[in-house]
Amino acid sequence: MFKPTVGPIVGHTTSDHARIFLRGSQYTNNPVYAGLRYRLQGDSKWSEGRFIQLHAHRDMSDVIVLTGLQADSLYQYQAGWLTLESPTPSLEALQEQSVQWPEDVYCLRTLPRENGALQAYIVGSCRYLRITAGTPSTPERGDRTFAGIQRVVDRADPPIRGVLMTGDQVYLDDLNIVAPDRTYKDILFKYRIVFSQPHIGKLMSSVPTYMILDDHEIEDNWPANKQFKDEILYANAMSAYRLYQVSHSPAHELTSDGALNRSLKHYWYELSHGDIEWFVTDSRTQRNLSSQDRRILDIEQERALLAWLDNSTARVKFIVTSVMFYPDSKRDDGDAWQAFPQQRLRLLEYIRQRKIRNVIFVSGDVHGSMTSRLGHSEDADFEVHTIVSSPFYNSELLPYASASDFIFDNAMARTGNGEYRYELTSPVIGQDNFAHLRVAAQSVQVTFYDGDARPLHTVEIPLR
């Protein structure tokens, strides 16, 4: 059995199940299988192998679902792939034959069943990697940030429950003017390179990783820059996105027998960790740019988000949106929420009028990190917060954000009942970084770290 060519990647994990993505390869016409076995840490006996056939139309990748796990437990697992000599094997024969597993042993932790006062997460976005003529340009520079994240994970208390990557995990348009990646083959190659770097690979093999796309998974400022010839680009980009980012996410439901439901209704999804809940929006692929009904979220998604806000009993409600909810930029390029003011105001009014507390928007995109508080001039009981974390690694050709890029001296929105105004509650951090969120009983502590895991700034967001 061979080591995975990409992965393993631990995806959505609960108190009793975990989803693990891995990719193999193919060098004969005989069937290829991915396999995995696991055990509780401290046990000497491995489980029977779990196997799944890999197919070329899925880029020789798939997701193995482990069910019936014990809550709040540390598991070890081994994973790999193999090609069988027989062209018509059975899974029973595969189970019975002696498999030489790869030596690497990985670990994953399931969630506790009880609501805990403490939960912790890593949040970040925008990992730039240029690939020219099939060769990545200094990949170790961007991968260094994930080594830094691993150091924070290793010493974190409470344990990190998930790494949330909020967009631009790959840059398909890194050479958009000269040599854009448009073919399915080139796009898949880029995903393989990005997700198989050593430090991000180690991180994702042990910590549940949750992803949502932004524009560079397709092309810059999609779909505003869309042209007729881009239909094929979009189809290729989204096919690769479904394989490498969506396949192990909560967007796919489980069937009654614990298998992965292959059907996919949408890219947005909900995530629950006890009394901490997340709504991860797709703020990229379902935009409506018409003047009659301009929206960043489609109708179905907006209704689902409002229903979630209404019905959720979570102590803290995180809303992930790949582009910034606020503050607004002085240079409005039509891409963030400020270009969709009516829908943003509808959402804020809904939160304010129903007195929904402890709503925090999480985003990336702008190559700068910060926290900010939004209040209302006539409603002292209303407030929401935003956490922006970007980038994991920036291109030398792109600037970092600074406080002077944003509007702070005007009301963000006005209604007949008053004004929405925001204020920074942290510096704007203009360098490669990521955020460590520690959710306690009375506050959310946000610590921004540089790529070497040195703390840059800490903010306490009070909970009510």
Side-chain angles (χ1 to χ4, degrees), residues 125-130 136-150 165 169 193-194 197-201 203 391-396 400 432-434 450-452:
S125 64
C126 306
R127 189 269 192 256
Y128 183 84
L129 177 59
R130 187 172 77 246
S137 175
T138 59
E140 69 281 356
R141 294 173 64 180
D143 200 37
R144 183 187 69 176
T145 298
F146 298 99
I149 294 174
Q150 186 68 61
M165 299 183 181
Q169 281 68 254
I193 293 295
V194 170
Q197 297 302 310
H199 295 306
I200 192 175
L203 176 70
F392 287 131
Y393 179 67
N394 200 11
S395 164
E396 295 177 348
Y400 292 98
D432 297 346
N433 72 94
F434 60 92
D450 70 10
D452 293 316

Side-chain angles (χ1 to χ4, degrees), residues 56-361:
H57 72 270
R58 295 185 60 84
D59 195 36
M60 305 307 294
S61 71
D62 218 316
V63 175
I64 296 177
V65 182
L66 303 182
T67 57
L69 304 179
Q70 296 182 23
D72 199 16
S73 298
L74 192 62
Y75 283 86
Q76 296 178 321
Y77 71 97
Q78 293 176 300
W81 63 279
L82 73 168
T83 299
L84 299 186
E85 295 179 2
S86 169
T88 56
S90 67
L91 284 177
E92 291 77 12
L94 196 58
Q95 289 278 9
E96 293 170 0
Q97 76 174 26
S98 177
V99 173
Q100 184 66 43
W101 293 87
E103 292 182 357
D104 290 341
V105 177
Y106 310 97
C107 293
L108 67 88
R109 183 185 293 274
T110 55
L111 294 177
R113 284 199 179 91
E114 304 80 18
N115 292 346
L118 296 176
Q119 301 282 11
Y121 305 89
I122 298 294
V123 172
S125 64
C126 306
R127 189 269 192 256
Y128 183 84
L129 177 59
R130 187 172 77 246
I131 298 177
T132 307
T135 303
S137 175
T138 59
E140 69 281 356
R141 294 173 64 180
D143 200 37
R144 183 187 69 176
T145 298
F146 298 99
I149 294 174
Q150 186 68 61
R151 287 195 283 275
V152 172
V153 168
D154 289 341
R155 62 178 184 246
D157 182 22
I160 301 298
R161 299 302 185 189
V163 175
L164 286 102
M165 299 183 181
T166 66
D168 297 340
Q169 281 68 254
V170 298
Y171 278 67
L172 300 187
D173 57 348
D174 58 336
L175 293 173
N176 211 31
I177 298 175
V178 179
D181 289 320
R182 307 184 73 87
T183 69
Y184 194 43
K185 178 182 177 182
D186 288 341
I187 291 170
L188 290 175
F189 178 78
K190 180 156 288 185
Y191 267 99
R192 295 175 205 150
I193 293 295
V194 170
F195 284 172
S196 61
Q197 297 302 310
H199 295 306
I200 192 175
K202 179 181 179 182
L203 176 70
M204 295 193 300
S205 71
S206 61
V207 183
T209 305
Y210 298 90
M211 306 176 184
I212 194 67
L213 82 164
D214 199 17
D215 53 344
H216 293 290
E217 272 89 356
I218 309 166
E219 70 175 7
D220 186 37
N221 207 352
W222 181 271
N225 292 338
K226 176 184 175 182
Q227 301 178 20
F228 175 75
K229 62 181 180 180
D230 288 338
E231 292 292 346
I232 295 175
L233 163 66
Y234 180 74
N236 291 337
M238 297 312 295
S239 293
Y241 173 69
R242 286 191 292 270
L243 289 182
Y244 280 90
Q245 298 198 50
V246 183
S247 62
H248 47 82
S249 81
H252 283 284
E253 299 175 350
L254 293 185
T255 62
S256 58
D257 60 355
L260 203 64
N261 187 339
R262 298 289 186 185
S263 65
L264 187 66
K265 299 176 182 178
H266 42 67
Y267 298 126
W268 48 267
Y269 56 86
E270 299 174 23
L271 177 63
S272 177
H273 287 167
D275 61 358
I276 310 299
E277 294 186 3
W278 298 73
F279 192 107
V280 180
T281 68
D282 168 15
S283 56
R284 183 56 63 182
T285 74
Q286 298 299 311
R287 296 185 176 200
N288 187 338
L289 303 183
S290 70
S291 57
Q292 290 77 23
D293 185 28
R294 187 173 175 84
R295 56 175 57 245
I296 196 169
L297 308 180
D298 57 283
I299 294 174
E300 178 190 6
Q301 186 177 181
E302 181 180 348
R303 288 174 177 168
L305 175 57
L306 297 181
W308 174 79
L309 283 166
D310 231 3
N311 299 328
S312 171
T313 59
R315 181 167 57 94
V316 183
K317 301 175 179 67
F318 290 105
I319 301 174
V320 174
T321 166
S322 57
V323 294
M324 283 180 57
F325 194 71
Y326 73 89
D328 289 347
S329 173
K330 292 179 181 177
R331 178 181 169 272
D332 181 7
D333 61 1
D335 196 48
W337 276 86
Q338 74 182 102
F340 302 83
Q342 291 83 9
Q343 189 173 43
R344 180 169 65 174
L345 184 58
R346 282 199 305 271
L347 180 53
L348 289 173
E349 287 286 272
Y350 196 89
I351 294 170
R352 186 179 69 83
Q353 292 172 6
R354 284 164 174 76
K355 299 186 181 301
I356 301 171
R357 294 174 178 264
N358 299 329
V359 176
I360 300 176
F361 289 88

